[in-house]
Amino acid sequence: MGRGRVELKKIENKINRQVTFAKRRNGVLKKAYELSVLCDAELALIIFSNRGKLYEFSSTSNMLKTLERYQKCSYGTLEVNRFVKDNNEEIFYKEYLKLKAKHESLQRYQRHLLGDELGHLNIDELEQLELQLGTSLRQTRSTRTQLMLDQFSDLQTKEKYWLEANKVLKGKLEETYAENNIHQSWGGAGQIGNYSQQHPQTHGFFQPLECNSTLQIGYEPTSSSQIIGVASGHNVSGIIPGWML
């Protein structure tokens, strides 16, 4: 069976830690030497033990040259980056100053248009400002006139539409009114005919009387109670009881 993987953590045993350091140090130095020979690479290896003892390896005869080369590469890149950063900041600051000046100029021009801070302007600047105000005023009036004309045209179109609608509604109303008059005239004639049929004798003077169909000749004695009953029954028609012919 192969050896298991060693857990990477600090070795607590001091003796074991020193033995492991010596073995691993020699292995790292050997690997650095092999890399420099096989790949023709310039290497510089520096190791300090926990006691502060120095171990080093350099593929060249002088390690200081390798360190100087490293310093030039590292700090040179930092200097370039710093220069680029400073240059960008300077460019941004200049752009900020330009925008700030333009903003202040626009604010000052706006105050001039409103009639403020005109004391330090000369005649040419005042004439230029007056010309600009005149041009703006003409454009404003032209825009306002065009807007009013457009609104007036829209109102005329709406008026024409409503007149047409009113005309149509008026025609429909007249037709409905005429139909109602015709129906009322026919209905009135029917009512008059019915009334004449129901009351054909309202214009006559005499009305038929109800009487007894039995004819009696001669004198028949009548009691006083019968006379009163007959008088009460036929007094409405104006006939007085008595002799019947």
Side-chain angles (χ1 to χ4, degrees), residues 185-196:
S185 62
W186 283 103
Q191 290 178 1
I192 292 173
N194 294 331
Y195 182 79
S196 62

Side-chain angles (χ1 to χ4, degrees), residues 29-43:
L29 294 174
K30 182 179 179 181
K31 292 293 184 181
Y33 170 75
E34 292 177 353
L35 181 62
S36 64
V37 173
L38 294 175
C39 300
D40 195 16
E42 184 178 355
L43 273 74

Side-chain angles (χ1 to χ4, degrees), residues 69-194:
R69 184 178 178 181
Y70 166 76
Q71 186 176 7
K72 288 180 181 179
C73 292
S74 299
Y75 290 96
T77 304
L78 293 176
E79 291 294 332
V80 171
N81 293 333
R82 186 180 295 110
F83 174 76
V84 172
K85 183 178 179 181
D86 295 340
N87 192 20
N88 291 335
E89 289 180 356
E90 185 178 359
I91 293 173
F92 293 154
Y93 183 72
K94 289 181 180 180
E95 189 69 21
Y96 162 74
L97 292 178
K98 289 181 181 180
L99 293 176
K100 183 179 179 181
K102 186 176 181 180
H103 180 260
E104 292 177 354
S105 177
L106 290 175
Q107 284 186 338
R108 186 165 52 254
Y109 181 70
Q110 183 180 8
R111 289 193 295 270
H112 292 167
L113 291 176
L114 295 176
D116 299 332
E117 300 180 4
L118 301 177
H120 63 281
L121 298 179
N122 54 28
I123 297 177
D124 295 336
E125 292 176 346
L126 291 174
E127 290 179 353
Q128 184 67 25
L129 183 61
E130 183 180 2
L131 180 62
Q132 182 65 34
L133 289 173
T135 303
S136 301
L137 183 60
R138 287 192 297 271
Q139 292 178 355
T140 303
R141 287 177 177 175
S142 177
T143 304
R144 184 194 63 180
T145 304
Q146 185 63 35
L147 182 60
M148 292 177 64
L149 291 175
D150 294 339
Q151 292 180 354
F152 182 71
S153 178
D154 294 339
L155 290 176
Q156 285 183 337
T157 303
K158 291 181 180 180
E159 182 183 8
K160 184 177 179 181
Y161 171 76
W162 289 117
L163 288 175
E164 293 293 335
N166 189 17
K167 185 177 179 181
V168 174
L169 292 175
K170 185 177 180 181
K172 291 182 179 180
L173 184 61
E174 290 178 352
E175 293 178 359
T176 305
Y177 182 73
E179 292 178 357
N180 291 334
N181 286 337
I182 292 173
H183 289 304
Q184 289 178 2
S185 62
W186 283 103
Q191 290 178 1
I192 292 173
N194 294 331

Side-chain angles (χ1 to χ4, degrees), residues 206-226:
F206 294 100
Q207 299 293 335
L209 297 177
E210 296 180 359
C211 59
N212 192 358
S213 61
T214 302
L215 180 62
Q216 294 180 1
I217 300 174
Y219 176 76
E220 182 179 0
T222 305
S223 63
S224 61
S225 60
Q226 292 178 350

